[in-house]
C-alpha cells in the first residue's frame, strides 16, 4: 500500500512538472495578453553572447512567467484562493459585497493636488469664460456599504473639502458625492470596472445642472446594448468568473455628429467596440486626444471639456444643452487651451475628472 | 564566469585534502601547513568577493586620505556556502573526522551539489561521504523528497511571500505606530523563517530524491524558550559550523569569564558578517552574541525558574528586535522602529495597520500554526501511516498546483494603461 501511494505521488509530481514544461514550450508564443492589456515576453532566440552576459537567462525567465500554459487560469485561481484565506483585496482591488470590485485609494501626493488646482486657477484668471469643475468620486467612496469591514481608503470627504477650499471661488466646483451616495442602492458604478455607468453619470449630470440652477427631474429611459462587459477591475483582480455587465445607452439620443482623428460619424456610441474586451470604449471610442461634437441644435453655448474617461459616459446627457462640445484629453493633446477657446468662441469650460485620476494626473503642465 | 571560482575551489581543496591526508600520520606540521593554505585560500576567495568593498569603504572612512577603489563585483552564487563546505572538508580531514576524497568527481559533486548550493544548508563532507559513494535512489527516497520539496515550495511562494508583502505594506506607513512596529517585525520574522527554512526543505527534498541525506537545518526555532535554544534550532548547519570550527577551537565554554566573552563576541560578530557585508548584520550578530553571553553567565538560570509564558515571551521579543536590526538599512531606521514598538514616540495604531491586520488575520494565525510542531503532528497524525494516507498524494498535488498559481500570479500584473 505504502509503495503504491509513493509511486502514485511520484508519477503525478513528474507528470505535472513535465506536462507544464512541455505544453509551455510547444504551444505558440502569445504576443499579447488581452486580459492584462500588455505585451508579453516571448521565448528568445539562442545567441551565444546573450548566454554569456546573462541576458538570455533573464529573458528566458521572463518568458516562462509570461508564456506558461493556462496563465490566466492560474492567476484566477490565486485570486479566489486569496479570498478564501480571508484577504479583502487582490492587487489593490477590494472584494466588495455583491461582486463589486472597487479600487483601493489609500494615498495621494498633496503637492500634485496643489499644483493641479493652481493650474486650473491660473487658467481661469487668464480666460474670460465660465469654468466648472466636476470631480467624480471613485466607487469605494460612494458605495460605502459594499466595502469590506476594514478598508484603507483615504478620507474622501476631507479631500473634496480641501480641493474646494483651494479652488478659486469664481470656479464652479461640483461635488456629486452626496447625491451619488443617496442613490447607492441603485446601480451607479460598474461592478467590474472602475468607471461609473450611464445611470451614475445621470446623477453627476443632475448635480452639474443643479449647481447652474436647472433642476432636472426626469431621468431619460435607458436600454441595454450588451451585457458581456468585464471591466478593468475584473482584470486587475483576476476575477474572470464574475458575470459580465450591461452596457447601456439612452433610448432617445440627440442626433449629433462626432469628429475625431479623421473620422466623422453619427452618434456618440461606437457599436464596433462592443466586440472588444474593453467595452467601455463604446462611449466616445475610449481614449481620443480631441473629439469635436456638433450637437445639431439651436442652443448657443459652446462647451470645452477637459477630461479623463469618466467624461465619456456623461456626454449623452450634455449634448442636449450645447451647440457644440469639444472634448480634450491633455495626455494626448498639448495645444494651448486659451488659444483654442479664443479661436472657437468657447464660453464654457468643464473640467471633468475622476478624483483618483485627478490627484495623480501629471498633465496639468500642458494647461495653458 | 564565476563558475571558474568554484572550479578553482574544487581543485585546490581536493589537492589540499589529499596532501593533508598524506602527511597527517608522519608529518603533522606539513599537514597543518596544507590545512592553513586551504583555509587561507577559501577565506581569501570569500573575503575578496564578498567583503572587499565593505572593508574598503570602512577603511576609506577611517583614513580620509586612502582612496581604495571599490570593485563593485557581484557575488558569485552560493559562494558563502561552498567555501564553508570546502573548509569543513579540509578541517575534518585534518582532524580525522572525515577521510579524504580520492576521486575528484565525487568531491566536485559535493562542492557543487546543486540542491543546497544557493541557500544552504551547509552540508559537511563527513555527513554525506557515505552517500557520495553509495547513493540509493529508491521510491521511498523519491517520495519523501517530493513531499519535502513541495512543502518547501509552498512555504516559500505562499507563506513567505505573503509575509513579505505584509511587511512591505506595513513599512510604507509613515510614521510607524506601536501596532505597525510589532506587526511588521512579526511579518518579517515569518518571512525570514518561511523563506529560509523553505529553501532548506527544498534542498533536503531534492537531495533525498537523488539519495543524499542532508541534516535538518531548522527545528521550529520560534518555539524556543531562550535564545541559546533558539540558535540550536535556527540555521543549525551554520551554528554548528561556527561552533565546531571557530568557537571550540577558541576554547569554547571552558575558559575564563573574560575569555568566554571574547569567544562569544568573536563568533557572533563573524556569524553576523557571514550573513552579509553590511554593518547592520554585524550589529545583529553582536546583539545576539551579547544576549547569549548574558544568558550563559546568569540569565538562563533565572529564566528557567520563570513560567513558560515569560520565557517564551522574552525569547520572541528578543528575536523580533533582532529581525528589526537584521532588516534595517540604517541605524536611524532601527531606532525609529524600536521607538514605535516601545511607544516612545508615535500613536498606538494606524488605520492602515488595522486594515493589514484584518486582511492577513487568517494567514497570520496559519503562520503561527505552521511554525510550530503542531503542523507536523497534524500532518503525521492524519496523513502519514493512517487510513487517510491515500489522501496524501492529493494534498501534495493541490499544494504544488497552488504554489504554481502563486508563482504565476506574482508575474501577472495587468498593465494599467487603461487607467483613465
Amino acid at each position: 500500500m505504502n509503495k503504491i501511494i509513493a509511486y502514485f505521488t511520484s508519477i503525478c509530481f513528474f507528470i505535472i512538472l513535465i506536462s507544464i514544461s512541455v505544453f509551455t514550450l510547444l504551444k505558440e508564443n502569445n504576443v499579447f495578453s488581452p486580459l492584462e492589456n500588455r505585451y508579453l515576453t516571448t521565448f528568445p532566440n539562442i545567441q551565444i553572447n546573450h548566454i554569456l552576459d546573462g541576458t538570455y537567462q533573464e529573458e528566458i525567465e521572463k518568458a516562462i512567467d509570461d508564456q506558461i500554459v493556462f496563465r490566466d487560469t492560474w492567476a484566477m485561481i490565486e485570486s479566489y484562493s486569496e479570498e478564501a484565506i480571508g484577504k479583502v483585496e487582490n492587487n489593490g482591488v477590494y472584494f466588495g459585497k455583491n461582486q463589486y470590485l472597487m479600487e483601493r485609494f489609500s494615498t495621494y501626493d498633496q503637492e500634485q493636488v496643489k499644483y493641479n488646482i493652481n493650474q486650473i486657477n491660473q487658467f481661469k484668471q487668464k480666460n474670460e469664460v465660465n469654468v466648472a469643475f466636476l470631480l467624480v468620486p471613485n466607487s469605494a467612496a460612494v458605495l460605502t456599504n459594499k466595502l469590506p469591514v476594514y478598508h484603507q481608503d483615504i478620507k474622501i470627504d476631507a479631500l473634496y473639502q480641501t480641493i474646494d477650499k483651494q479652488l478659486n471661488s469664481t470656479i464652479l466646483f461640483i461635488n456629486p458625492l452626496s447625491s451619488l451616495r443617496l442613490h447607492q442602492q441603485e446601480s451607479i458604478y460598474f461592478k467590474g470596472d472602475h468607471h461609473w455607468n450611464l445611470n451614475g453619470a445621470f446623477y453627476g449630470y443632475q448635480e452639474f445642472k443643479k449647481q447652474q440652477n436647472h433642476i432636472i427631474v426626469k431621468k431619460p429611459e435607458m436600454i441595454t446594448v450588451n451585457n458581456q462587459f468585464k471591466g478593468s477591475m475584473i482584470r486587475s483582480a483576476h476575477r474572470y468568473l464574475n458575470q459580465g455587465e450591461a452596457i447601456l445607452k439612452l433610448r432617445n439620443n440627440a442626433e449629433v455628429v462626432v469628429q475625431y482623428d479623421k473620422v466623422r460619424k453619427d452618434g456618440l456610441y461606437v457599436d464596433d467596440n462592443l466586440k472588444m474586451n474593453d467595452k467601455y470604449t463604446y462611449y466616445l471610442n475610449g481614449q481620443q486626444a480631441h473629439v469635436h461634437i456638433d450637437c445639431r441644435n439651436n442652443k448657443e453655448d459652446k462647451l470645452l471639456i477637459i477630461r479623463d474617461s469618466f467624461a465619456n459616459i456623461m456626454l449623452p446627457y450634455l449634448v442636449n444643452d450645447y451647440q457644440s462640445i469639444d472634448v480634450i484629453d491633455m495626455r494626448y493633446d498639448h495645444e494651448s487651451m486659451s488659444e483654442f477657446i479664443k479661436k472657437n468662441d468657447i464660453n464654457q469650460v468643464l473640467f471633468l475628472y475622476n478624483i483618483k485620476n485627478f490627484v495623480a494626473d501629471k498633465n496639468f503642465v500642458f494647461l495653458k | 564566469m564565476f563558475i571558474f571560482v568554484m572550479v578553482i575551489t574544487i581543485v585546490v581543496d581536493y589537492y589540499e585534502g589529499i596532501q593533508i591526508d598524506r602527511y597527517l600520520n608522519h608529518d603533522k606540521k606539513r599537514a597543518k601547513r596544507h590545512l592553513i593554505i586551504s583555509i587561507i585560500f577559501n577565506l581569501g576567495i570569500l573575503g575578496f568577493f564578498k567583503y572587499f568593498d565593505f572593508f574598503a569603504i570602512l577603511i576609506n572612512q577611517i583614513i580620509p586620505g586612502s582612496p581604495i577603489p571599490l570593485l563593485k563585483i557581484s557575488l558569485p552564487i552560493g559562494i558563502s556556502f561552498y567555501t564553508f563546505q570546502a573548509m569543513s572538508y579540509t578541517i575534518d580531514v585534518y582532524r580525522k573526522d572525515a577521510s579524504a576524497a580520492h576521486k575528484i568527481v565525487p568531491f566536485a559533486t559535493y562542492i557543487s551539489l546543486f540542491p543546497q548550493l544557493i541557500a544552504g544548508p551547509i552540508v559537511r563532507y563527513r555527513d554525506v561521504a557515505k552517500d557520495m559513494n553509495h547513493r540509493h535512489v529508491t521510491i521511498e527516497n523519491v517520495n519523501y523528497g517530493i513531499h519535502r520539496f513541495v512543502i518547501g515550495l509552498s512555504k516559500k511562494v505562499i507563506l513567505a511571500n505573503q509575509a513579505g508583502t505584509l511587511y512591505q505594506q506595513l513599512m510604507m506607513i509613515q510614521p510607524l505606530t506601536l501596532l505597525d512596529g510589532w506587526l511588521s517585525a512579526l511579518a518579517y520574522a515569518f518571512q525570514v523563517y518561511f523563506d529560509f527554512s523553505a529553501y532548506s526543505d527544498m534542498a533536503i527534498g531534492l537531495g533525498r530524491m537523488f539519495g543524499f541525506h542532508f541534516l535538518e537545518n531548522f527545528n521550529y526555532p520560534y518555539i524556543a524558550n531562550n535564545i541559546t535554544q533558539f540558535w540550536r534550532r535556527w540555521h543549525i548547519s551554520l551554528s554548528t559550523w561556527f561552533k565546531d570550527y571557530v568557537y571550540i577551537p577558541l576554547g569554547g565554554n571552558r575558559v575564563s569569564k573574560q575569555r568566554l566573552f571574547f569567544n562569544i563576541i568573536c563568533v557572533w560578530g563573524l556569524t553576523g558578517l557571514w550573513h552579509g557585508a553590511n554593518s547592520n548584520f554585524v550589529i545583529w550578530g553582536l546583539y545576539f552574541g551579547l544576549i547569549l553571553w548574558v544568558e550563559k553567565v546568569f540569565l538562563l538560570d533565572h529564566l528557567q525558574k520563570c513560567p513558560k509564558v515569560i520565557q517564551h515571551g522574552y525569547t520572541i521579543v528578543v528575536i523580533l528586535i533582532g529581525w528589526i536590526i537584521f532588516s534595517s538599512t540604517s541605524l536611524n531606521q532601527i531606532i525609529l522602529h524600536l521607538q514605535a514598538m516601545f511607544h516612545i514616540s508615535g500613536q498606538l495604531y494606524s488605520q492602515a495597520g488595522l486594515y493589514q491586520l484584518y486582511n492577513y488575520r487568517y494567514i497570520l494565525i496559519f503562520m503561527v500554526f505552521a511554525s510550530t510542531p503542531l503542523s507536523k503532528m497534524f500532518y503525521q497524525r492524519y496523513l502519514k501511516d493512517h487510513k487517510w494516507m491515500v489522501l496524501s498524494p492529493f494534498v501534495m498535488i493541490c499544494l504544488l498546483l497552488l504554489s504554481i498559481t502563486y508563482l504565476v500570479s506574482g508575474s501577472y500584473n495587468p498593465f494599467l494603461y487603461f487607467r483613465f
Side-chain angles (χ1 to χ4, degrees):
Chain A
M1 187 64 180
N2 270 354
K3 246 192 171 141
I4 297 171
I5 290 174
Y7 273 109
F8 182 72
T9 313
S10 313
I11 289 167
C12 285
F13 179 77
F14 290 112
I15 285 180
I16 290 172
L17 289 197
I18 291 167
S19 54
I20 287 176
S21 327
V22 168
F23 283 123
T24 301
L25 287 172
L26 288 186
K27 82 171 178 42
E28 226 166 276
N29 270 331
N30 293 332
V31 179
F32 185 76
S33 160
L35 288 171
E36 289 167 273
N37 226 344
R38 71 174 180 96
Y39 287 91
L40 299 173
T41 312
T42 53
F43 281 107
N45 296 321
I46 295 176
Q47 276 175 303
I48 296 295
N49 55 337
H50 285 177
I51 294 178
L52 288 180
D53 70 12
T55 48
Y56 179 76
Q57 289 85 329
E58 277 172 30
E59 286 287 295
I60 280 279
E61 270 182 33
K62 270 192 231 154
I64 292 172
D65 278 342
D66 277 6
Q67 298 295 339
I68 191 165
V69 276
F70 311 133
R71 196 176 139 67
D72 298 334
T73 317
W74 295 123
M76 183 182 78
I77 297 171
E78 187 258 4
S79 174
Y80 288 96
S81 83
E82 287 277 282
E83 193 184 11
I85 55 179
K87 290 281 198 71
V88 294
E89 64 156 294
N90 191 28
N91 218 359
V93 179
Y94 294 122
F95 304 136
K97 291 175 190 117
N98 304 339
Q99 294 207 328
Y100 268 94
L101 298 172
M102 296 182 272
E103 215 172 357
R104 193 175 77 191
F105 181 21
S106 45
T107 52
Y108 66 92
D109 177 4
Q110 290 184 342
E111 290 307 307
Q112 189 69 48
V113 180
K114 255 185 219 158
Y115 177 82
N116 291 356
I117 291 173
N118 197 29
Q119 286 292 96
I120 295 178
N121 285 342
Q122 282 181 8
F123 173 81
K124 166 69 187 168
Q125 275 170 5
K126 250 194 293 181
N127 296 286
E128 289 281 312
V129 286
N130 292 323
V131 176
F133 181 21
L134 171 56
L135 207 47
V136 186
N138 53 320
S139 56
V142 174
L143 310 176
T144 43
N145 60 4
K146 301 204 170 60
L147 276 173
V149 191
Y150 279 93
H151 58 85
Q152 206 192 357
D153 265 41
I154 58 156
K155 296 194 171 65
I156 198 88
D157 297 82
L159 179 57
Y160 266 97
Q161 275 166 21
T162 321
I163 292 174
D164 194 7
K165 236 181 263 164
Q166 288 176 13
L167 211 58
N168 199 321
S169 57
T170 53
I171 296 168
L172 178 66
F173 182 60
I174 300 142
N175 172 358
L177 206 50
S178 48
S179 58
L180 281 170
R181 277 182 187 153
L182 211 62
H183 295 278
Q184 62 171 306
Q185 297 309 329
E186 296 171 37
S187 159
I188 48 177
Y189 283 88
F190 290 107
K191 288 181 172 184
D193 195 77
H194 61 290
H195 292 106
W196 53 357
N197 64 15
L198 197 62
N199 189 37
F202 173 74
Y203 295 116
Y205 171 72
Q206 202 179 32
E207 188 65 27
F208 175 59
K209 296 304 280 184
K210 195 174 125 193
Q211 298 290 326
Q212 296 170 307
N213 302 319
H214 293 283
I215 304 296
I216 292 177
V217 185
K218 195 167 171 288
K219 192 169 18 172
E221 204 182 330
M222 297 166 201
I223 52 173
T224 305
V225 288
N226 183 295
N227 51 19
Q228 299 295 316
F229 176 42
K230 294 192 173 186
S232 59
M233 292 297 98
I234 288 188
R235 281 173 278 165
S236 279
H238 317 153
R239 313 287 284 187
Y240 306 129
L241 294 183
N242 279 16
Q243 279 171 351
E245 296 176 76
I247 293 280
L248 303 172
K249 72 169 189 178
L250 298 185
R251 180 179 289 280
N252 300 309
N253 288 282
E255 286 174 10
V256 300
V257 176
V258 173
Q259 228 177 321
Y260 50 85
D261 287 338
K262 277 164 189 127
V263 182
R264 205 183 137 84
K265 65 178 285 291
D266 292 333
L268 295 165
Y269 310 112
V270 187
D271 292 326
D272 283 349
N273 289 354
L274 290 175
K275 291 177 207 134
M276 304 207 320
N277 235 318
D278 187 3
K279 295 182 183 14
Y280 185 78
T281 54
Y282 176 68
Y283 306 105
L284 215 68
N285 203 27
Q287 306 167 48
Q288 293 296 333
H290 187 157
V291 185
H292 176 77
I293 304 164
D294 181 353
C295 302
R296 296 282 178 99
N297 54 28
N298 48 15
K299 296 279 158 53
E300 282 167 3
D301 289 338
K302 285 176 154 187
L303 178 69
L304 166 66
I305 302 180
I306 298 168
R307 58 97 192 213
D308 65 23
S309 60
F310 277 69
N312 299 8
I313 202 163
M314 214 172 102
L315 278 160
Y317 304 109
L318 288 169
V319 287
N320 296 315
D321 304 331
Y322 299 92
Q323 184 194 95
S324 74
I325 302 177
D326 283 275
V327 184
I328 286 181
D329 190 326
M330 288 198 291
R331 280 179 299 163
Y332 310 110
D333 190 341
H334 299 166
E335 69 182 301
S336 160
M337 301 297 155
S338 307
E339 273 172 39
F340 182 82
I341 287 168
K342 273 186 208 114
K343 230 192 304 176
N344 296 285
D345 296 324
I346 307 279
N347 57 350
Q348 260 260 318
V349 176
L350 170 63
F351 288 90
L352 204 170
Y353 280 84
N354 165 244
I355 191 158
K356 192 166 184 288
N357 292 340
F358 175 73
V359 296
D361 199 322
K362 293 206 179 340
N363 294 293
F364 277 84
V365 273
F366 302 117
L367 184 63
K368 283 174 211 134
Chain B
M1 246 356 124
F2 291 134
I3 195 96
F4 296 114
V5 181
M6 188 189 275
V7 171
I8 293 166
T9 310
I10 290 169
V11 173
V12 169
D13 286 304
Y14 172 69
Y15 173 77
E16 297 301 343
I18 288 176
Q19 293 302 316
I20 292 166
D21 189 43
R22 184 199 285 173
Y23 295 113
L24 198 53
N25 288 325
H26 55 274
D27 191 352
K28 199 130 196 209
K29 259 192 185 157
R30 199 157 173 186
K32 195 169 191 172
R33 214 180 311 147
H34 282 288
L35 174 66
I36 289 167
I37 293 172
S38 159
I39 291 174
I40 289 175
F41 169 78
N42 285 304
L43 288 179
I45 283 196
L46 186 62
F48 178 74
F49 283 103
K50 195 167 171 179
Y51 301 109
F52 187 91
D53 284 3
F54 175 67
F55 285 112
I57 292 170
L58 207 66
I59 292 168
N60 288 348
Q61 272 173 356
I62 297 166
I63 312 164
S66 80
I68 302 174
L70 300 185
L71 298 175
K72 297 212 163 94
I73 25 179
S74 52
L75 207 58
I77 208 158
I79 192 164
S80 313
F81 291 98
Y82 69 71
T83 47
F84 266 47
Q85 294 201 163
M87 277 188 278
S88 82
Y89 164 72
T90 45
I91 297 170
D92 280 353
V93 171
Y94 179 78
R95 291 179 179 172
K96 296 185 182 168
D97 285 334
S99 51
H102 286 283
K103 290 186 200 138
I104 194 160
V105 174
F107 181 69
T109 314
Y110 161 68
I111 295 293
S112 63
L113 214 54
F114 79 93
Q116 96 295 2
L117 184 65
I118 298 165
I122 300 164
V123 176
R124 287 187 299 184
Y125 184 75
R126 63 169 126 152
D127 296 330
V128 287
K130 213 178 79 201
D131 292 336
M132 275 304 155
N133 302 314
H134 311 282
R135 279 189 304 126
H136 297 293
V137 180
T138 63
I139 187 66
E140 283 82 10
N141 278 343
V142 172
N143 184 45
Y144 177 85
I146 287 173
H147 275 71
R148 210 49 206 273
F149 179 81
V150 171
I151 285 172
L153 182 69
S154 40
K155 256 162 109 175
K156 162 70 191 145
V157 297
I158 304 174
L159 297 184
N161 288 0
Q162 292 275 2
T165 332
L166 174 60
Y167 173 72
Q168 276 175 2
Q169 297 277 348
L170 289 165
M171 292 308 283
M172 282 195 296
I173 300 172
Q174 290 292 342
L176 283 182
T177 63
L178 183 117
L179 171 73
D180 312 331
W182 285 99
L183 199 55
S184 57
L186 191 69
Y188 194 77
F190 281 133
Q191 184 191 3
V192 185
Y193 170 63
F194 286 120
D195 196 84
F196 202 174
S197 73
Y199 279 115
S200 291
D201 285 340
M202 288 190 275
I204 291 167
L206 279 174
R208 187 65 81 83
M209 286 186 218
F210 298 109
F212 294 106
H213 294 73
F214 300 154
L215 295 180
E216 290 297 331
N217 205 20
F218 288 87
N219 182 21
Y220 305 102
Y222 292 147
I223 65 163
N225 281 329
N226 50 59
I227 298 302
T228 311
Q229 216 183 75
F230 171 74
W231 278 102
R232 287 192 196 125
R233 293 170 170 272
W234 178 277
H235 202 354
I236 299 164
S237 64
L238 182 76
S239 357
T240 319
W241 197 99
F242 272 104
K243 192 182 98 207
D244 286 356
Y245 302 118
V246 186
Y247 186 65
I248 290 176
L250 283 174
N253 291 337
R254 288 177 221 151
V255 286
S256 66
K257 265 193 179 162
Q258 292 85 353
R259 183 58 199 250
L260 181 70
F261 181 76
F262 170 81
N263 285 357
I264 289 179
I265 289 302
C266 183
V267 167
W268 286 92
L270 289 174
T271 306
L273 195 59
W274 180 88
H275 281 83
N278 229 324
S279 48
N280 67 311
F281 295 120
V282 182
I283 299 172
W284 175 76
L286 295 176
Y287 163 81
F288 273 115
L290 203 65
I291 285 171
L292 287 167
W293 178 74
V294 172
E295 281 194 355
K296 222 168 222 121
V297 176
F298 73 95
L299 190 62
L300 214 49
D301 296 333
H302 296 291
L303 207 57
Q304 274 157 358
K305 287 172 203 144
C306 296
K308 279 266 146 60
V309 187
I310 291 177
Q311 293 184 35
H312 194 230
Y314 148 83
T315 313
I316 294 293
V317 170
V318 171
I319 293 169
L320 291 185
I321 294 171
W323 290 133
I324 295 305
I325 302 171
F326 192 84
S327 67
S328 299
T329 45
S330 69
L331 197 62
N332 197 30
Q333 202 187 334
I334 298 173
I335 292 167
L336 282 176
H337 205 128
L338 292 179
Q339 278 179 344
M341 281 169 83
F342 294 99
H343 204 45
I344 295 166
S345 66
Q347 307 279 314
L348 274 177
Y349 66 92
S350 67
Q351 197 60 39
L354 273 184
Y355 169 69
Q356 294 302 348
L357 181 64
Y358 179 75
N359 205 12
Y360 283 85
R361 63 201 183 285
Y362 295 131
I363 299 164
L364 284 167
I365 293 170
F366 184 75
M367 284 178 181
V368 172
F369 170 74
S371 53
T372 64
L374 281 176
S375 53
K376 195 174 183 180
M377 275 158 55
F378 183 83
Y379 171 78
Q380 284 184 331
R381 175 126 184 227
Y382 291 105
L383 287 177
K384 232 180 138 204
D385 312 323
H386 193 271
K387 61 177 173 181
W388 293 109
M389 193 172 65
V390 270
L391 284 181
S392 84
F394 299 102
V395 173
M396 282 305 121
I397 291 164
C398 286
L399 273 180
L400 177 64
L401 294 178
L402 202 61
S403 304
I404 295 173
T405 70
Y406 275 84
L407 268 177
V408 172
S409 68
S411 73
Y412 193 95
N413 273 313
F415 181 53
L416 290 172
Y417 77 65
F418 54 79
R419 253 250 41 112
F420 283 84

